[in-house]
Every structure is written in structure tokens, then in C-alpha cells.
Amino acid sequence: MKRRPVLMILLCLAVLPLVKCQSPATDNKAEAIADKVIDNMGGRQGWDDTRYLAWTFHDQYQIWDKQEDKFRWEMDSLVAIIDTDTKEGKVYVAGQELQDPAKKQELLDQTYARWINNAYWLVMPFKLQDDGVHLAYLGEDQTMDGAPADVLEMTFDSVGLTPQNKYKLWVDKDKGLITQWAYFKDTADAEPGFTRRWSDYKDYGSIKLAGDRSNPEGEFKITHIAAPASVPDAVFNSPTPVEKL
């Protein structure tokens, strides 16, 4: 099986149904900006009405059934299908189900972590008000493209896989959408591990999503984004890679 580099896992919060949860550490201005961002992306109802999401992230193609807690992940001939609640599932290599228990469990654990990470790169703005998320307003700044923005800091309680992470988010003053983010491996870090655009918004079913995560050092885009109304079971459970939705 051909190996390809995979972007490091950055955050992770369980990607649960969107729940607005006012945290004591979230200030009112930050909360109001987060409300505006979510509303401009389709709102909580739009998010809840979106059952399926599909996308390619760094050569990995995935389909997520939010309603049934199912996640299908594939790269080259490797396919993993897991229940994101129980973390159980199946793994296929070149169309054949993997039988080795230890290797299967290792790959299922990796797939669960990829679900958290890869989905966060796609839907992070919808997670601004999840339980365990703390937002603070840092003031005004310009993005790398020179646009005026309000800046939020996002930190976390003891949730997910890497709660020590921190993010800075630039919310465009005119568009009311996140247009840039910066990742800090630890809340104490003074400089980010990266700063990237969050741009190229398009409508997908009931919501807006952005596919561009580029920066001056290089281009990176999330592709094959889709929010289909339905996905046949044969597609979702195929032991071999499927055609992009």
C-alpha cells in the first residue's frame, strides 16, 4: 500500500451536534460575534438539517453521516468505516476485510482521530459554541490579505484529544465570517504553529463551508466538498474506494 504524508492532528473536540452553551469564560462580545458567524453560515437549524458531509482532506476522502454516527474514510486501497459513538467498525485493504485484531484496532483508533481532525478543518466555525469551548475577544486586526477583522481566541476545557490547543480566529467585519485562523499547539505558546486563510465560501445544501486553507507559504485546499441529501448504503459501506459524491 502506498504511503502518503498526513497532516498532523491538531485539535480535538468530539464533533457533536451543535449546541449553544454559554461558558463563564466566554465574554459577551465574543459570544455575539460567534452568533453572527454561525447565523451567516446557515445557523443551527441549517447545521442540524445537514445529515451527510463528504470531502477530501490531504488525499483522504471521507463521508460522514452525522445522524447515524457513521464515518467512512479511505486513502488508496485502505478503507475504514467506524461508528463515531462506539468507535467500533471495519477496515478493508484492497477490498478484503482486515482480520488481525491488533492492526484493526490500531487503524480504527487512527480513523477516529482523523474524523475529529479532518472534520474540524471543515466545520470548525459551527463548533464555536460547543460545550467546553471558551471564547475571548482580543480586539481588531487585519488579515494577511489586509481585510479588517475582529479577532477571537478559542481555548478548551478537558475535552477531546488535545484540549491544550489554542486558536486565534479572524472574523471579517463586512462578511461576518471567519476568514483566517492560527493554530497554537499549547495555550502558553506565544507564536502559532501556522496561520492560514479560511476562505472560498460556497453554499452546500443548508450551510456555507469554506475550502481554502492556503497561506503565503503554500496552497492547501479541501476539495470534493458535498452535503448530499442522501447517500446509498452501498456507497457508504463499500469495501473499496468509491466515486466522489
Side-chain angles (χ1 to χ4, degrees):
M1 181 178 65
K2 178 182 177 183
R3 286 186 172 272
R4 295 177 182 171
V6 178
L7 290 185
M8 61 182 173
I9 290 178
L10 302 176
L11 179 68
C12 292
L13 305 174
V15 185
L16 304 172
L18 184 66
V19 177
K20 181 178 179 181
C21 180
Q22 177 71 42
S23 164
T26 298
D27 62 58
N28 291 334
K29 188 172 181 67
E31 183 75 13
I33 292 172
D35 276 333
K36 180 173 67 173
V37 167
I38 293 171
D39 286 345
N40 289 339
M41 291 186 63
R44 294 173 182 80
Q45 191 61 54
W47 173 254
D48 290 342
D49 289 344
T50 302
R51 175 172 177 176
Y52 298 101
L53 287 170
W55 69 103
T56 295
F57 176 81
H58 201 63
D59 295 329
Q60 307 163 59
Y61 184 64
Q62 47 252 298
I63 307 171
W64 176 23
D65 182 344
K66 292 166 58 218
Q67 180 174 309
E68 295 295 325
D69 298 322
K70 291 194 297 184
F71 180 69
R72 173 193 173 83
W73 176 91
E74 61 184 53
M75 187 169 70
D76 298 323
S77 67
L78 180 61
V79 174
I81 303 165
I82 67 167
D83 183 309
T84 58
D85 183 32
T86 65
K87 302 181 186 179
E88 297 177 349
K90 296 183 178 181
V91 177
Y92 301 92
V93 180
Q96 300 299 311
E97 185 171 358
L98 185 63
Q99 300 298 328
D100 181 85
K103 186 61 177 177
K104 174 183 175 181
Q105 189 59 54
E106 178 186 354
L107 290 170
L108 289 176
D109 291 344
Q110 291 175 1
T111 301
Y112 179 77
R114 286 166 179 149
W115 165 64
I116 293 175
N117 181 71
N118 297 4
Y120 204 77
W121 275 77
L122 180 68
V123 305
M124 175 271 294
F126 284 107
K127 314 303 296 173
L128 292 176
Q129 295 175 323
D130 277 8
D131 194 7
V133 175
H134 301 289
L135 298 175
Y137 181 69
L138 299 184
E140 298 182 356
D141 193 13
Q142 289 189 341
T143 66
M144 64 180 73
D145 297 318
D150 291 306
V151 183
L152 304 181
E153 179 184 79
M154 181 164 56
T155 56
F156 311 94
D157 285 334
S158 298
V159 294
L161 300 181
T162 55
Q164 74 278 8
N165 291 167
K166 178 177 70 174
Y167 288 87
K168 285 178 65 175
L169 311 172
W170 284 254
V171 180
D172 186 275
K173 281 186 169 293
D174 293 328
K175 301 174 183 177
L177 296 168
I178 293 172
T179 54
Q180 183 173 296
W181 69 331
Y183 160 75
F184 299 77
K185 185 176 181 179
D186 190 88
T187 55
D189 291 348
E191 297 297 327
F194 67 71
T195 301
R196 293 181 176 272
R197 294 181 179 88
W198 193 289
S199 60
D200 191 23
Y201 281 89
K202 295 179 183 178
D203 292 323
Y204 298 93
S206 302
I207 60 176
K208 287 184 182 295
L209 296 170
D212 188 1
R213 304 289 180 273
S214 61
N215 62 18
E217 286 73 52
E219 181 178 282
F220 177 66
K221 293 186 177 181
I222 299 172
T223 59
H224 304 112
I225 301 173
S230 62
V231 176
D233 287 342
V235 170
F236 204 95
N237 296 306
S238 173
T240 57
V242 298
E243 185 176 345
K244 308 294 190 294
L245 298 178

